[in-house]
Amino acid sequence: MVNKGMKTKSAYNMLLMTSMILTSYVTMAQEINSDLLPEANREFNFDYQNLKPVKFESFATVAQWADVVAIAQVVNVDYEQTREINAKGQAFLNVLVPYKGAKRNELLIVSSKGFDKHVCYYPDRGGEGERFLVFLKKTENDGEYHGFNPYCQLQVLLTDTGEYALRYPLAIDFEIKPELIRTIQFNDPNAQIDATEWTSVAREQHQEEYQSKLTEDADMFQKYFYLTYTQGVMIYEIRKLMNIKTQPRISSKQM
């Protein structure tokens, strides 16, 4: 019987092998924690074509438009910056749950360039890395993709029952049926935001916009404020809305 540790090691090895196959435009960097993380080869001719935003009517139309649909986790980001603002570069994502055009543990390289709000820059990896539902388009380079906000990075959080849920509200073009939106107890470090340095007005705005819950803590030096997301839509509900047809598997008897 294969234990959980062996499965985790196997998944990491598959990710590492995928990264090494792409050595023509990806190199591996040695981090302090000894994990090998992919970084971009600056001499490679990445595709920085500007992907213009598209308005969609439903999750089904987004899924139809995209070449890749998956729940993916941030492995690393490698961005060049201008005055501490992302200007161009690559993000590296590991596919956790593939829905269309990708395989589990496949490495996706998302190239971005520019300063517009729709340009798809991912957050720096923290801990295990944030998870997102991604809708991406292929470029001319194998393994390289483009996307635009918000559809390149709809935040996915773990619930207290270990299930995936799409954080709500979402900055998308269409409405989600109210009966699909539920109050959720998240068990995910990315479900909580440290808002200590925010103004009280900013905290109130976040609570109103995202239905987040404000909690406080303190020590002998100062008071701390945290905002926690409370609303979401279960991923299995979103999966139905995407209406992606399952590709039939070919058995050895059919070959």
Side-chain angles (χ1 to χ4, degrees):
M1 182 177 293
V2 180
N3 61 36
K4 185 176 181 181
M6 291 179 67
K7 288 183 178 179
T8 301
K9 185 176 180 180
S10 176
Y12 176 78
N13 287 340
M14 186 175 293
L15 172 61
L16 186 59
M17 286 179 65
T18 305
S19 302
M20 294 178 70
I21 289 172
L22 300 174
T23 52
S24 60
Y25 54 107
V26 177
T27 57
M28 308 302 290
Q30 184 72 32
E31 289 292 300
I32 296 175
N33 62 4
S34 297
D35 286 336
L36 289 172
L37 299 178
E39 289 186 343
N41 177 357
R42 296 302 178 200
E43 296 181 1
F44 185 79
N45 187 26
F46 285 102
D47 185 346
Y48 287 114
Q49 178 182 349
N50 187 17
L51 189 63
K52 294 182 179 179
V54 179
K55 286 190 175 182
F56 299 105
E57 299 177 353
S58 64
F59 275 111
T61 56
V62 189
Q64 185 178 20
W65 167 86
D67 293 318
V68 165
V69 182
I71 295 176
Q73 189 169 31
V74 176
V75 176
N76 196 26
V77 296
D78 188 9
Y79 296 133
E80 296 180 32
Q81 295 188 325
T82 300
R83 297 178 182 176
E84 298 184 352
I85 299 175
N86 291 331
K88 71 174 183 178
Q90 284 67 44
F92 304 90
L93 312 177
N94 178 36
V95 174
L96 301 178
V97 182
Y99 295 116
K100 176 184 177 183
K103 296 180 180 178
R104 189 172 182 272
N105 291 321
E106 182 176 342
L107 185 71
L108 307 178
I109 302 171
V110 183
S111 292
S112 304
K113 182 179 181 179
F115 301 99
D116 294 326
K117 289 183 178 180
H118 69 267
V119 176
C120 190
Y121 293 116
Y122 291 86
D124 289 345
R125 175 180 173 176
E128 294 183 351
E130 289 191 51
R131 304 173 185 87
F132 298 98
L133 176 62
V134 301
F135 297 88
L136 303 171
K137 295 290 284 186
K138 293 179 180 178
T139 71
E140 294 183 355
N141 299 319
D142 289 341
E144 183 189 17
Y145 299 88
H146 288 153
F148 65 87
N149 273 310
Y151 300 101
C152 66
Q153 48 178 262
L154 298 174
Q155 191 175 29
V156 172
L157 299 171
L158 272 177
T159 71
D160 59 351
T161 57
E163 299 174 276
Y164 288 137
L166 203 60
R167 189 259 298 156
Y168 187 85
L170 304 167
I172 55 179
D173 302 313
F174 47 88
E175 298 292 330
I176 295 178
K177 292 181 179 180
E179 58 265 29
L180 298 181
I181 303 164
R182 62 171 71 177
T183 299
I184 297 177
Q185 182 72 38
F186 291 111
N187 184 21
D188 191 310
N190 296 302
Q192 187 177 79
I193 300 170
D194 185 347
T196 302
E197 302 299 324
W198 296 16
T199 65
S200 59
V201 173
R203 289 193 287 267
E204 289 173 3
Q205 288 176 343
H206 193 278
Q207 287 180 269
E208 183 178 349
E209 183 176 356
Y210 294 100
Q211 303 298 305
S212 54
K213 179 182 179 181
L214 179 67
T215 56
E216 300 179 14
D217 196 3
D219 57 25
M220 66 177 65
F221 300 106
Q222 73 174 95
K223 196 178 234 184
Y224 302 92
F225 297 92
Y226 302 95
L227 291 164
T228 304
Y229 294 116
T230 62
Q231 304 290 306
V233 181
M234 300 304 294
I235 279 295
Y236 59 76
E237 298 288 4
I238 301 297
R239 173 67 179 85
K240 296 174 187 175
L241 297 176
M242 290 191 293
N243 195 30
I244 298 174
K245 294 182 179 179
T246 304
Q247 295 294 327
R249 294 184 178 181
I250 301 176
S251 67
S252 58
K253 294 181 180 179
Q254 293 174 298
M255 295 181 67

